[in-house]
């Protein structure tokens, strides 16, 4: 294939990876960095090449039904990130069986979710001819170590490990133990690493590239998602929040009839503040915080009254996305015919979702509701040790995250 044809298929970074793979197949290949860079595309190609290599080796030696591990944050993520892409790229129709497996080139590929030990139980005891781990930073270290132990291949076949990941904290075991170690140590261990930035992908539409840059929250999220850096979160969490823009006068808000729906975030409390945050959504997908109810030392009966008053004023059909830490309180809401739903409490993804809405000017708060909110948001900072927001005076921040993120995820599913 001539150079011009190759350039139409692969970026220069992808070509570098493929050349290194075919000239000196490593024990471990780690492609790490920004989103939408083409990492997974080249990893999928190498994965297919590895399956063919395993097929040829096992066929020549009469080894039947060799196994291979394909890991990801969940089986659904594996289907979306790897299997669906392979089907589209190669014109295949791979489907998982009841055991979350598929067979290709005579190799049984076992798909395993790695974000917790429970999902990983299927890998214990199996022998694999290789490993392809997508979204690797999600895997717990003990899970990752066990997966490596499963890759024993055969006496004349050295298994290869393919790692595909976005960055996390520089304290993450992948970065500390495999990526950032000296080059000579990586070479001795057969570890090959490539760092990817968004601008490494020449096939990305320029407008899409700019949209990604402009919509990604500043600070740690931008450094990781756009620059592909393993950095520690630092400073204020919501760097793009602008009081002069995101806080609006009550007179600027839409009338009740102009909102297409409402939802609420609920953070339970007693010694610390309990909070209900009511959000109205407009037809052009602006999310406006209309009510912030925050109080200490109030029993669940009082919170039921507050929720019922919201329903009286704004109508039925409001989902209250509640902190799952108090199932008894959720039960009391439901007994009172309040639509209580357990919130998605994923911290980093939830914070990124809210941060993105502040930056894109999709999220606003009424000035009349902003006094306590402002005292929290400017003190809402990153903990350098944990890489998460500091857990001090964050009750309103939690309620907003529960509501905004859970609603966002629910409507993503509806759009699919």
């Amino acid at each position: 294939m001539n150079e011009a044809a190759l350039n139409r298929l692969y970026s220069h970074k992808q070509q570098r990876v493929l050349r290194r793979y075919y000239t000196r197949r490593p024990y471990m290949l780690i492609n790490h960095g920004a989103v939408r860079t083409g990492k997974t595309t080249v990893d999928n190609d190498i994965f297919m090449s590895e399956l063919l290599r395993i097929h040829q080796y096992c066929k020549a030696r009469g080894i039947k039904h060799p196994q291979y591990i394909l890991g990801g944050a969940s089986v659904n993520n594996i289907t979306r990130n790897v299997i669906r892409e392979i089907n589209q790229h190669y014109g295949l129709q791979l489907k998982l069986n009841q055991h979350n497996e598929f067979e290709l080139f005579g190799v049984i590929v076992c798909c395993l979710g790695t974000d917790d030990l429970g999902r990983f139980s299927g890998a214990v005891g199996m022998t694999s001819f290789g490993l392809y781990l997508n979204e690797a930073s999600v895997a717990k270290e003990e899970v990752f170590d066990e997966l490596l132990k499963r890759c024993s291949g055969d006496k004349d076949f050295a298994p290869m490990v393919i790692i595909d990941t976005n960055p996390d904290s520089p304290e993450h075991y992948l970065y500390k133990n495999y990526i950032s170690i000296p080059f000579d140590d990586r070479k001795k261990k057969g570890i090959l690493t490539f760092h990817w930035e968004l601008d490494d992908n020449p096939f990305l539409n320029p407008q899409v590239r700019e949209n990604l840059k402009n919509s990604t929250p500043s600070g740690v999220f931008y450094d990781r998602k756009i620059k592909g850096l393993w950095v520690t979160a630092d400073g204020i969490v919501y760097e793009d929040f602008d009081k002069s823009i995101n806080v609006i006068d009550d007179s600027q808000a839409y009338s009740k009839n102009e909102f297409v729906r409402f939802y609420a975030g609920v953070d339970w409390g007693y010694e610390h503040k309990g909070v209900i945050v009511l959000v109205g959504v407009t037809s052009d997908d602006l999310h406006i915080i209309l009510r912030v109810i925050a109080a200490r030392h109030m029993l669940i009966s009082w919170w039921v009254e507050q929720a019922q008053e919201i329903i009286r004023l704004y109508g039925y059909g409001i989902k209250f996305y509640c902190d799952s830490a108090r199932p008894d309180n959720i039960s009391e809401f439901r007994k009172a015919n309040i639509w209580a739903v357990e919130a998605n409490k994923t911290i980093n993804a939830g914070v990124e979702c809210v941060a993105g809405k502040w930056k894109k000017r999709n999220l606003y708060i009424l000035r009349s509701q902003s006094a306590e909110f402002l005292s929290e948001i400017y003190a809402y900072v990153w903990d350098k040790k944990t890489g998460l927001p500091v857990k001090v005076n964050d009750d309103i921040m939690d309620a907003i995250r529960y509501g905004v993120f859970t609603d966002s995820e629910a409507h993503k599913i509806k759009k699919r």
Side-chain angles (χ1 to χ4, degrees):
M1 184 181 294
N2 62 43
E3 185 176 352
L6 194 60
N7 289 339
R8 287 195 293 270
L9 292 174
Y10 294 103
S11 70
H12 292 303
K13 178 65 69 72
Q14 289 172 325
Q15 291 177 46
R16 280 184 58 205
V17 175
L18 290 170
R19 277 196 297 268
R20 291 293 298 277
Y21 165 70
Y22 285 113
T23 56
R24 193 176 73 227
R25 178 175 174 264
Y27 159 62
M28 183 181 293
L29 170 66
I30 305 178
N31 282 309
H32 63 99
V35 298
R36 303 295 299 275
T37 55
K39 302 188 303 296
T40 304
T41 297
V42 75
D43 284 333
N44 287 348
D45 283 356
I46 292 172
F47 164 62
M48 295 288 282
S49 181
E50 281 297 295
L51 293 186
L52 276 171
R53 188 188 295 264
I54 294 164
H55 164 72
Q56 292 165 354
Y57 175 86
C58 292
K59 183 179 180 180
R61 288 157 181 79
I63 300 173
K64 296 182 178 180
H65 311 302
Q67 296 184 101
Y68 188 101
I69 297 174
L70 173 56
S74 67
V75 173
N76 284 338
N77 285 31
I78 293 169
T79 300
R80 181 171 60 251
N81 296 342
V82 180
I83 298 175
R84 189 178 297 166
E85 292 296 320
I86 287 173
N87 282 341
Q88 292 176 351
H89 187 70
Y90 288 96
L92 300 175
Q93 293 183 333
L94 302 175
K95 292 183 180 179
L96 298 181
N97 63 19
Q98 67 269 32
H99 305 296
N100 289 327
E101 300 170 345
F102 65 87
E103 186 171 337
L104 185 61
F105 308 135
V107 181
I108 298 172
V109 180
C110 308
C111 298
L112 299 170
T114 60
D115 55 347
D116 62 54
L117 289 171
R119 291 176 182 170
F120 174 67
S121 59
V124 176
M126 74 174 291
T127 298
S128 175
F129 275 78
L131 166 67
Y132 177 11
L133 188 54
N134 184 257
E135 298 181 300
S137 62
V138 175
K140 293 179 172 64
E141 186 171 7
E142 60 267 36
V143 172
F144 183 76
D145 289 343
E146 187 64 32
L147 284 172
L148 295 185
K149 292 176 185 175
R150 298 300 101 207
C151 296
S152 52
D154 196 52
K155 62 184 180 70
D156 295 318
F157 186 92
M160 178 182 171
V161 177
I162 306 166
I163 302 293
D164 184 286
T165 188
N166 296 329
D168 201 287
S169 163
E171 294 301 308
H172 195 286
Y173 70 87
L174 267 179
Y175 186 75
K176 288 175 64 176
N177 300 340
Y178 298 93
I179 296 172
S180 67
I181 60 176
F183 173 79
D184 287 345
D185 290 344
R186 292 202 306 271
K187 188 175 180 180
K188 288 177 184 176
K189 295 179 179 181
I191 300 172
L192 187 60
T193 67
F194 288 90
H195 166 246
W196 299 68
E197 298 185 34
L198 181 66
D199 290 335
D200 283 326
N201 186 356
F203 304 119
L204 199 60
N205 181 283
Q207 188 59 56
V208 172
R209 187 193 318 278
E210 288 308 304
N211 289 344
L212 278 170
K213 290 180 178 180
N214 293 335
S215 63
T216 301
S218 301
V220 63
F221 297 116
Y222 193 93
D223 286 344
R224 290 178 183 175
K225 289 204 158 193
I226 305 301
K227 297 180 181 179
L229 301 175
W230 295 72
V231 294
T232 301
D234 192 15
I236 294 174
V237 173
Y238 295 131
E239 291 188 30
D240 294 302
F241 171 80
D242 187 334
K243 180 182 174 182
S244 66
I245 298 174
N246 296 110
V247 178
I248 61 174
D249 291 331
D250 290 33
S251 59
Q252 292 178 260
Y254 292 66
S255 71
K256 187 182 90 168
N257 295 331
E258 291 177 297
F259 288 100
V260 295
R261 59 188 174 84
F262 302 91
Y263 63 87
V266 182
D267 184 38
W268 307 114
Y270 189 77
E271 290 300 332
H272 66 87
K273 291 194 300 281
V275 178
I276 295 178
V277 171
L278 175 71
V279 183
V281 183
T282 69
S283 58
D284 47 354
D285 200 38
L286 299 181
H287 295 238
I288 302 176
I289 299 171
L290 302 170
R291 296 284 303 276
V292 177
I293 302 169
R296 289 184 174 86
H297 305 136
M298 293 298 180
L299 300 175
I300 185 59
S301 57
W302 188 84
W303 291 105
V304 167
E305 290 174 2
Q306 303 309 305
Q308 288 175 329
E309 178 66 5
I310 286 173
I311 293 169
R312 187 185 71 78
L313 292 172
Y314 295 92
Y316 285 96
I318 299 173
K319 288 184 180 180
F320 288 76
Y321 297 116
C322 304
D323 181 1
S324 57
R326 292 296 303 272
D328 52 331
N329 285 355
I330 292 176
S331 179
E332 290 300 315
F333 262 37
R334 289 171 178 170
K335 287 178 185 177
N337 293 319
I338 298 164
W339 195 353
V341 179
E342 289 191 5
N344 185 331
K345 295 171 62 176
T346 307
I347 297 174
N348 274 333
V351 167
E352 182 179 358
C353 174
V354 175
K357 288 188 180 296
W358 290 131
K359 177 166 185 172
K360 290 181 285 186
R361 310 310 175 201
N362 290 140
L363 181 59
Y364 299 87
I365 183 170
L366 297 186
R367 196 173 306 280
S368 64
Q369 305 297 307
S370 67
E372 286 193 79
F373 161 85
L374 289 172
S375 71
E376 281 197 18
I377 195 167
Y378 289 125
Y380 197 49
V381 296
W382 294 108
D383 184 328
K384 288 186 178 181
K385 292 182 180 178
T386 66
L388 300 173
V390 173
K391 285 297 297 175
V392 177
N393 191 30
D394 62 347
D395 308 296
I396 296 173
M397 297 298 102
D398 280 351
I400 291 173
R401 173 165 57 87
Y402 297 159
V404 170
F405 181 53
T406 312
D407 177 81
S408 176
E409 290 296 290
H411 282 80
K412 275 183 187 176
I413 293 172
K414 285 182 181 179
K415 290 176 183 177
R416 286 173 188 164

